Amino acid sequence: MKLSRKDLITIDDITKDDVVKIIEISEMIRMKHRNGELFVPLLGKALACIFRKPSTRTRVSFEMAMFQLGGAALYLSPSEIQLGRGETIADTARVLSKYVNGIMIRTFAHSELVELAENATVPVINGLTDYSHPCQILADLLTIKDKKKMLKGITVAYVGDGNNVCNSWLFAAPKMEMEFRAACPPGYAPDSKVVARSKQLAEESKTKITITEDPFEAVKGADVVYTDVWASMGQEDKAEEKKKDFEKYQVNAKLMAAAHKDAIVMHCLPAHRGEEITDEVMDGPQSVVFDEAENRLHAQKGILALLMNR
């Protein structure tokens, strides 16, 4: 079993069948892990992990995923490799392809990821860029399937910044026949080209995409309420400005009352408690935030097994 593409760049690049495969193999690997069964399809293989952005979940989940699948992960920061001293992305890709069986990169510019994938002969995985965060959304889909027992027909309401996570949801939801609504403050809507592509996918799958400035409109009757930090990494200088712009976009008990009574709450983490989400909601009975975080590990295993076990 393998994916239709060599790389995981965005969810728009892979097929619905690819997403289903990732979820199914992630569930299988998770079950084996919980039952204490050894499953090492990547024995003797190595993943290079390039981090231009610090990370908790991405680093730990990829390193543990490779370890538990029988392989090894190499942490590479810009200061530790020649990429930080002027070597080109293309040359780095060619060299690493001679040493390892896959490359994961977590960086700012999406163009760096694309150039890396174009020049690497091994699979390249998007660990996060400012444009897209596919691994997070694949873990989210795994979590929603766990909790709701289905994906088709589920309504996801995203409240906050129209960022990389929102972009990835816009690609994923219509592909999986889910309704997606995003509530963003004026000036913080998701990428217009991503929205246009999402609406095209929604038309094909006969579902619906809504972009609004009203969080209550987005959340009304939703099955999943999702949020993210207001100021992403690299936007620290805008944090105070964003607090003012986003003050009406907090996921709190009042907003949750508008959702379906069985709605679940999700957050990709790290959370700035008291800003985009309250303690009451994040620690409440509807929250699946920490199950979602655990599923980063299992979804990463599914991705790695399908891309690197060739």
Side-chain angles (χ1 to χ4, degrees), residues 125-159:
I125 299 168
N126 180 356
L128 175 143
T129 68
D130 286 348
Y131 175 74
S132 178
H133 198 359
C135 292
Q136 177 64 56
I137 273 56
L138 289 165
D140 295 338
L141 292 172
L142 176 61
T143 306
I144 293 169
K145 186 168 181 286
D146 287 344
K147 304 302 179 181
K148 297 296 182 180
K149 310 306 178 189
M150 67 179 84
L151 293 176
K152 183 178 180 179
I154 293 293
T155 297
V156 178
Y158 176 94
V159 180

Side-chain angles (χ1 to χ4, degrees), residues 20-36:
V20 171
K21 285 178 186 176
I22 291 169
I23 292 173
E24 287 180 347
I25 196 168
S26 299
E27 289 173 326
M28 180 271 289
I29 294 172
R30 183 177 60 190
M31 183 177 293
K32 286 182 178 293
H33 177 72
R34 288 177 176 174
N35 290 339

Side-chain angles (χ1 to χ4, degrees), residues 178-192:
M178 305 165 78
E179 180 178 348
F180 184 72
R181 308 170 189 163
C184 309
Y188 295 98
D191 186 292
S192 60

Side-chain angles (χ1 to χ4, degrees), residues 292-308:
E292 176 188 5
E294 179 191 347
N295 278 328
R296 284 293 302 276
L297 170 64
H298 305 303
Q300 247 84 287
K301 287 184 189 177
I303 294 162
L304 293 165
L306 288 167
L307 286 179
M308 292 176 59

Side-chain angles (χ1 to χ4, degrees), residues 229-269:
V229 293
W230 292 338
S232 299
M233 195 176 298
Q235 298 179 341
E236 289 80 6
D237 59 329
K238 299 178 181 178
E240 291 305 313
E241 177 186 350
K242 282 195 162 189
K243 282 182 185 179
K244 296 176 184 176
D245 293 341
F246 283 77
E247 62 183 358
K248 296 179 181 178
Y249 293 80
Q250 183 184 72
V251 175
N252 52 34
K254 183 179 179 181
L255 184 64
M256 286 304 301
H260 191 281
K261 63 179 182 179
D262 295 325
I264 58 174
V265 177
M266 304 181 76
H267 191 308
C268 55
L269 300 179

